[in-house]
Amino acid sequence: MTGTETPVSATPAYTSAEVPLPVSGRITLSDRTLVRVSGPGTDKFLQGQLSQNLDDVKAGASPRAAGTSPKGRAYCLTRLLRDGEDILMDLPSELAESIMTHLRKYMMLFRGTSMTALEEGRITGLLGDEAAALLAEGGQDNLASPGDTLALDSGFLIRTDDTATGLRRFELWQPEATDLPLDKIPEKGLADWHASEIAAGIPVLSTATSEAYVPQMLNWQHLGGVHFNKGCYTGQEVIARMHFLGQLKKSLFRFRLASADPLPTPGTSVKSGERSVGEVINAVGFSDGSCELLAVARHDAVSGELYADGLPDALLQLQPLPYTVSEREDSEQQDT
């Protein structure tokens, strides 16, 4: 196995998420790759490439971050976790090799610093409090907010974002996979985790959507992934200008389809009549034939009838997100 291959997983290969979503479960996130950055230049290297302030990546706090092109377009959405002097990152396995190749071009300036995909690394998604309570042995009470992190013998337990219905979720990052005392927790399919990510308003980039959007269009600032007061990094000027000048006209929305055949794929156009007003970022199908998706769409279009290209008879039904996107209100005020 190379460093960027997806590890073999025993997760049930369900292609559809359960209805309703399970309130307790564990899922091996076999479509994500753990990466370790180590060496004397780790913080300076990442500080110059990512949208997060590395001073805020410390024991107990693992914030999100984005890597962007010089034009401010996101090619990487990740979380940063402090492991001793090293930094752990998670990457979509689909993009891991290309992201690492890109970042290594800049790493050459930092002698002794390396980036390695962890062959034995594993990320486990946890739905509900039950599994977290077993792992943390009561310490999960310290995980009050997204990004709060608890170091365990078996790895790092991270509180991630709740769904719009308030389902609490966690991730266990293990640089070296070990057996877990979770036999009593039902094992669920990867689609269930994808559905919970969509319900939490968390986008995942793919080859179809990489370098297509500034992080704000993906609501990344509302997920704690953009630090607007840190120093310069690649793409920072474009991102800061959009933030301080209030120029955001598109953002990430959550939609539902009562039925979807075929399932919209990333990059599929979202249409109003014959006009394209956005694109699908992620979608997941449910066992009852319905679908939920995240799409970047124009603020001035979502009040009308929208559909995914190829499914003109299935209108998109707007669904709530668990956080507020303040830029939408600013955009509406500018249009009036």
Side-chain angles (χ1 to χ4, degrees):
M1 178 187 293
T2 65
T4 55
E5 289 177 345
T6 301
V8 175
S9 169
T11 299
Y14 305 138
T15 57
S16 299
E18 295 182 24
V19 178
L21 274 179
V23 296
S24 178
R26 57 186 170 95
I27 303 103
T28 299
L29 306 186
S30 55
D31 59 346
R32 284 163 59 182
T33 296
L34 268 182
V35 172
R36 182 183 296 278
V37 183
S38 59
T42 293
D43 280 31
K44 288 184 178 180
F45 160 59
L46 293 176
Q47 184 79 351
Q49 294 304 316
L50 301 181
S51 62
Q52 190 55 255
N53 190 339
L54 268 291
D55 289 342
D56 292 339
V57 185
K58 52 193 175 184
S62 303
R64 299 185 188 274
T68 58
S69 70
K71 294 182 179 180
R73 304 287 167 152
Y75 64 84
C76 171
L77 300 178
T78 186
R79 187 185 292 279
L80 304 177
L81 185 151
R82 182 77 61 179
D83 184 10
E85 298 298 318
D86 300 347
I87 294 291
L88 299 180
M89 305 169 56
D90 68 315
L91 301 176
S93 296
E94 176 184 350
L95 297 176
E97 184 174 356
S98 63
I99 291 172
M100 293 173 66
T101 298
H102 174 79
L103 287 173
R104 282 174 177 146
K105 295 177 183 178
Y106 299 92
M107 188 183 293
M108 296 173 62
L109 301 173
F110 300 88
R111 182 173 298 179
T113 302
S114 64
M115 172 179 285
T116 307
L118 302 180
E119 295 186 8
E120 300 302 320
R122 181 170 65 187
I123 301 177
T124 303
L126 306 173
L127 299 175
D129 288 308
E130 187 177 5
L134 287 172
L135 291 171
E137 298 179 345
Q140 79 277 6
D141 292 340
N142 296 320
L143 305 179
S145 302
D148 287 353
T149 302
L150 185 65
L152 309 173
D153 291 339
S154 56
F156 299 90
L157 184 63
I158 306 168
R159 173 78 180 272
T160 188
D161 301 78
D162 297 352
T163 67
T165 59
L167 176 64
R168 288 161 61 98
R169 306 183 314 134
F170 302 82
E171 291 182 2
L172 177 66
W173 287 22
Q174 295 178 279
E176 297 181 0
T178 59
D179 292 334
L180 301 173
L182 297 178
D183 292 342
K184 296 181 180 180
I185 307 300
E187 190 171 13
K188 298 297 179 179
L190 194 55
D192 291 313
W193 186 259
H194 292 169
S196 76
E197 291 276 86
I198 288 174
I202 300 172
V204 178
L205 292 177
S206 64
T207 53
T209 55
S210 178
E211 292 194 46
Y213 310 99
V214 296
Q216 293 102 308
M217 292 181 184
L218 299 164
N219 297 355
W220 208 240
Q221 73 280 28
H222 299 297
L223 293 164
V226 183
H227 194 295
F228 290 108
N229 296 317
K230 64 168 284 187
C232 293
Y233 59 93
T234 302
Q236 181 263 348
E237 183 177 353
V238 175
I239 293 168
R241 185 187 308 122
M242 179 166 287
H243 173 68
F244 290 112
L245 296 182
Q247 297 175 335
L248 189 67
K249 301 298 183 182
K250 293 182 176 181
S251 62
L252 193 74
F253 292 83
R254 175 184 168 217
F255 295 103
R256 180 181 182 274
L257 285 168
S259 62
D261 186 16
L263 193 70
T265 57
T268 297
S269 180
V270 172
K271 291 192 159 187
S272 173
E274 295 300 317
R275 182 171 67 114
S276 178
V277 296
E279 300 81 33
V280 173
I281 304 300
N282 310 111
V284 65
F286 289 86
S287 57
D288 63 357
S290 65
C291 161
E292 283 200 6
L293 59 88
L294 295 175
V296 170
R298 291 185 59 89
H299 296 162
D300 59 7
V302 294
S303 60
E305 293 186 347
L306 304 180
Y307 65 93
D309 194 21
L311 296 168
D313 298 325
L315 294 182
L316 295 171
Q317 304 164 14
L318 189 62
Q319 302 295 301
L321 290 170
Y323 50 81
T324 299
V325 182
S326 55
E327 294 87 348
R328 294 177 190 168
E329 299 176 0
D330 295 339
S331 179
E332 291 173 357
Q333 293 174 0
Q334 291 175 12
D335 292 337
T336 58

